[in-house]
Amino acid sequence: MNPHVQAFFDPDTFTVSYVVHDPASKKAAIIDPVLDFTPRNGRTSTRSADALLRFMDQEELALEWLLETHAHADHLSAAHYLHEQTGAPIVIGSEIRQVQRVFGALFEADDVPPDGSAFGRLVSEGERLPLGALSIGILHTPGHTPACVTYLIGDAAFVGDTLFMPDYGTARADFPGGDAATLYRSIRKILDLPPSTRIFVGHDYLPAGRTDYRWETTVAGQRAANIHVHDGVREADFVAMRTARDKTLEAPQLILPSLQVNIRAGAMPPPAPGGHVYLRLPVNAI
């Protein structure tokens, strides 16, 4: 039995969130939900997250898990909001503790112990979570960040930012704790899955020559056509390409607001004495 997958694309951050469910039991998981954020005035909205909840209600689905593929640097997570609405636990890779150590120090986030306790469940390679008649398998796929995981549900693999569509390539590996050689080995783990495995990516940035957004491909499609890591690309060549390309990339527009929220599992920092919530903007720090 394979899951039903419904994608929700956010054009502001080019992020794809997913509602995945077991057709027999209607047990569901949400993967990488987005909290809408307007940087020019610091306002948040739950518009994107509420669309996921409306779909759940329409399909009469029971939410079991909120799955984060990693601590995102390009959008704020709506996991905390959805947890408050539904009670579903927030899941992330156990190496989130390493990410919390780095960015907790950067933002002087004294309320965030680097032990992953902001999340409901930390998972590691080989673990499985129940989802009705299906289960959710865990592949640890670091390289983009230390905490990246791929979720395997039936014939579907949710890879976060590790892989993009074949005509766009692969994730950057220059964030703290990232490593291009580690990323290559993680990708090969994914590409060793059965060729018909459906791959669902975390973003689509519309490469030159394409006008329609896409987020679903297959292991076979990636192995044949991924512009960075198709079959025949050696690790040394990939590392050289990825390292050179990463030197040309700007930091994501929302990296500073995103990471200080996402190491808190999507929660905002605690209010200041006057009652306002502040996101910190460290100057000349990244």
Side-chain angles (χ1 to χ4, degrees):
M1 185 180 297
N2 293 315
H4 181 275
V5 180
Q6 181 66 45
F8 293 78
F9 182 71
D10 173 41
D12 292 333
T13 64
F14 307 99
T15 301
V16 193
S17 305
Y18 297 98
V19 176
V20 187
H21 77 268
D22 163 34
S25 66
K26 298 218 166 183
K27 303 288 188 182
I30 289 175
I31 300 176
D32 290 343
V34 172
L35 180 70
D36 305 290
F37 178 74
T38 306
R40 65 176 175 269
N41 60 11
R43 299 203 67 88
T44 63
S45 164
T46 60
R47 171 182 49 84
S48 294
D50 289 334
L52 304 178
L53 293 176
R54 283 195 301 274
F55 177 79
M56 299 274 300
D57 287 342
Q58 292 165 6
E59 299 297 317
E60 299 181 332
L61 305 179
L63 185 61
E64 299 288 295
W65 306 101
L66 294 160
L67 306 177
E68 296 280 18
T69 55
H70 63 295
H72 311 276
D74 39 41
H75 69 271
L76 282 66
S77 171
H80 179 75
Y81 168 73
L82 292 170
H83 170 71
E84 287 187 321
Q85 297 300 305
T86 67
I90 305 169
V91 180
I92 200 165
S94 60
E95 293 304 314
I96 188 62
R97 294 171 288 204
Q98 182 176 339
V99 179
Q100 287 177 319
R101 281 194 293 273
V102 171
F103 289 103
L106 174 64
F107 296 114
E108 298 184 12
D110 297 335
D111 61 298
V112 183
D115 59 5
S117 59
F119 298 83
R121 177 77 177 262
L122 304 184
V123 290
S124 300
E125 175 93 20
E127 288 190 56
R128 302 198 77 84
L129 304 174
L131 191 70
L134 298 171
S135 65
I136 303 167
I138 312 300
L139 275 184
H140 184 213
T141 48
H144 176 55
T145 81
C148 289
V149 294
T150 291
Y151 295 106
L152 304 175
I153 309 175
D155 70 338
F158 299 87
V159 300
D161 294 6
T162 298
L163 280 167
F164 298 125
M165 293 301 292
D167 57 356
Y168 196 85
T170 59
R172 65 194 298 168
D174 60 334
F175 293 155
D179 180 77
T182 301
L183 178 63
Y184 179 88
R185 294 166 197 160
S186 293
I187 290 169
R188 295 313 310 181
K189 283 169 62 175
I190 295 169
L191 299 186
D192 282 340
L193 295 169
S196 61
T197 301
R198 295 182 289 166
I199 289 181
F200 293 92
V201 302
H203 298 279
D204 188 42
Y205 296 109
L206 276 191
R210 177 156 58 83
T211 58
D212 58 314
Y213 290 107
R214 302 174 188 171
W215 42 78
E216 180 179 350
T217 178
T218 63
V219 165
Q222 293 280 10
R223 293 185 65 158
N226 187 288
I227 60 172
H228 294 165
V229 73
H230 57 78
D231 283 355
V233 174
R234 298 177 303 169
E235 180 177 318
D237 296 330
F238 175 82
V239 170
M241 176 281 302
R242 189 70 263 171
T243 302
R245 178 173 170 77
D246 288 349
K247 289 178 179 178
T248 72
L249 301 178
E250 297 284 350
Q253 182 179 8
L254 296 182
I255 186 171
L256 292 174
S258 293
L259 283 171
Q260 57 191 298
V261 168
N262 294 344
I263 61 172
R264 295 176 166 96
M268 290 290 163
H276 293 294
V277 171
Y278 293 94
L279 295 174
R280 294 183 170 182
L281 188 68
V283 176
N284 296 328
I286 64 170

